């Protein structure tokens, strides 16, 4: 696999996906021996060199605009290497050693995930933490249902899991309201009383700053949130990923051409 050409086609109101297929758009690609993938109006075509990509892009742009009477979005269409472009929020990364391709998360997918989790865990949350965790779990399960096809991104998953738990810790501390109540709750959770008093009362800090001190992390541990039902993005990704690949690895394995 050399270069990748990505064509973004914007359909006119009176055109549909069946119009493209009926007029021979996909047949034309198959007859020419191109490797391509399409979903709705988004299409990636794989060729061996940048020169071939430029030639195929010019040919298909002419075919789409002159014969199919559709519009190609030149701003989103380009010739580039596979790992430089995304498709349905996914990217392809070539593994030279095994001559296979890894399916990875696009950067914008990670940013959208972080933004959504931030919106689901607001600082001024006025309901119970269990309600918040249920909302977060529902979103994460839906997200994993789509993105679990990707190969594991351990660094990103660990970072997101850790940041999510920190936001929940800050919400819990704020709901406990007073520092003396925070100390008492932490002691009940097994934190040594001297450590709890020293970390909480040592100086003036916001709830967000307190969410990372030793006493809070020892009281509101990962196991604490697991007992309350919070799912781990990294652990649940493995379950969903294995379930998807059990359908048939040959369907999802991309061999180098």
């Amino acid at each position: 696999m050399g270069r990748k050409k990505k064509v973004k086609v914007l359909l006119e109101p009176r055109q549909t996906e069946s119009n493209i297929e009926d007029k021979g758009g996909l047949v034309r690609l198959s007859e020419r021996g191109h490797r391509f993938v399409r979903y709705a109006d988004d299409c990636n075509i794989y060729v061996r060199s940048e020169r071939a990509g430029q030639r195929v892009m010019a040919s298909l742009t002419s075919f789409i605009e002159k014969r199919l009477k559709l519009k190609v979005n030149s701003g989103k269409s380009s010739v580039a290497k596979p790992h430089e472009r995304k498709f349905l929020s996914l990217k392809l990364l070539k593994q030279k050693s095994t001559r296979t391709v890894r399916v990875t998360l696009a950067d914008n997918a990670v940013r959208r995930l972080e933004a959504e989790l931030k919106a689901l865990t607001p600082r001024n949350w006025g309901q119970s933490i269990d309600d918040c965790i249920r909302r977060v779990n529902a979103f994460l399960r839906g997200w994993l249902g789509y993105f679990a096809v990707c190969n594991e991104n351990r660094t990103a998953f660990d970072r997101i899991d850790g940041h999510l738990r920190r936001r929940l810790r800050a919400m819990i501390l704020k709901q406990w309201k007073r520092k003396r109540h925070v100390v008492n709750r932490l002691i009940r959770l097994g934190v040594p009383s001297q450590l709890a008093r020293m970390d909480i009362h040592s100086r003036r800090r916001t709830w967000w700053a307190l969410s990372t001190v030793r006493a809070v992390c020892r009281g509101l541990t990962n196991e604490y949130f697991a007992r309350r039902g919070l799912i781990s993005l990294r652990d649940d990704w493995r379950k969903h990923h294995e379930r998807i690949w059990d359908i048939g690895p040959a369907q999802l394995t991309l061999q180098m051409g």
Side-chain angles (χ1 to χ4, degrees):
M1 182 179 298
R3 305 271 177 169
K4 175 175 95 169
K5 183 180 83 64
K6 179 177 182 178
V7 179
K8 181 74 172 182
V9 183
L10 299 182
L11 301 181
E12 296 178 354
R14 294 183 181 178
Q15 299 288 345
T16 63
E17 294 178 32
S18 60
N19 294 140
I20 298 178
E21 297 178 359
D22 293 343
K23 293 180 180 180
L26 299 184
V27 175
R28 185 183 179 91
L29 291 175
S30 300
E31 289 177 348
R32 292 193 172 192
H34 294 313
R35 298 186 177 188
F36 67 94
V37 57
R38 183 183 73 89
Y39 181 82
D41 62 348
D42 204 354
C43 183
N44 287 2
I45 303 167
Y46 302 92
V47 293
R48 292 184 178 276
S49 66
E50 183 176 4
R51 183 177 179 181
Q54 297 289 357
R55 183 181 67 252
V56 172
M57 184 172 184
S59 173
L60 283 177
T61 299
S62 176
F63 174 80
I64 290 171
E65 293 185 338
K66 293 181 179 179
R67 182 170 175 180
L68 301 185
K69 307 301 182 183
L70 301 176
K71 182 181 179 181
V72 175
N73 187 339
S74 58
K76 294 184 178 180
S77 302
S78 68
V79 177
K81 293 182 178 180
H83 67 270
E84 295 174 355
R85 305 293 292 179
K86 62 183 178 63
F87 179 69
L88 303 178
S89 296
L90 305 173
K91 292 197 303 183
L92 301 179
L93 184 62
K94 181 172 62 174
Q95 298 290 309
K96 294 182 178 180
S97 58
T98 58
R99 294 188 60 80
T100 58
V101 176
R102 286 172 56 88
V103 182
T104 62
L105 285 172
D107 295 337
N108 66 331
V110 177
R111 288 194 294 268
R112 286 200 304 268
L113 171 61
E114 293 172 334
E116 187 64 28
L117 290 176
K118 183 177 180 180
L120 290 172
T121 55
R123 295 182 181 181
N124 59 346
W125 180 257
Q127 303 177 43
S128 71
I129 295 298
D130 291 333
D131 289 338
C132 182
I133 289 176
R134 279 193 289 270
R135 291 179 56 189
V136 170
N137 285 347
F139 170 76
L140 288 179
R141 289 192 182 99
W143 189 89
L144 286 168
Y146 178 81
F147 286 103
V149 68
C150 297
N151 295 95
E152 184 177 14
N153 189 336
R154 185 175 302 178
T155 302
F157 290 166
D158 287 344
R159 174 172 53 81
I160 294 171
D161 278 337
H163 189 71
L164 174 60
R165 286 190 293 266
R166 183 182 179 184
R167 293 189 65 85
L168 291 173
R169 288 188 187 105
M171 292 169 58
I172 292 173
L173 294 175
K174 186 175 181 180
Q175 290 190 352
W176 288 347
K177 295 184 178 180
R178 297 182 181 276
K179 288 190 174 182
R180 67 172 183 270
H181 297 326
V182 173
V183 171
N184 292 335
R185 295 285 189 116
L186 292 177
I187 292 174
R188 272 183 263 173
L189 289 170
V191 180
S193 60
Q194 184 178 0
L195 176 63
R197 292 187 176 90
M198 181 177 63
D199 282 354
I200 301 302
H201 292 298
S202 61
R203 62 177 184 269
R204 293 174 62 93
R205 282 186 270 194
T206 63
W207 299 123
W208 179 250
L210 282 173
S211 64
T212 59
V213 300
R214 292 174 300 169
V216 173
C217 291
R218 287 183 63 173
L220 304 178
T221 61
N222 297 355
E223 292 74 18
Y224 170 85
F225 288 109
R227 289 195 301 269
R228 299 195 69 162
L230 180 66
I231 67 175
S232 168
L233 186 62
R234 178 179 172 183
D235 294 341
D236 274 55
W237 168 87
R238 188 173 292 106
K239 298 176 185 177
H240 285 74
H241 185 74
E242 291 174 355
R243 175 182 56 81
I244 291 175
W245 281 78
D246 282 343
I247 296 174
Q251 300 178 27
L252 298 176
T253 300
L254 302 177
Q255 294 293 336
M256 298 283 292

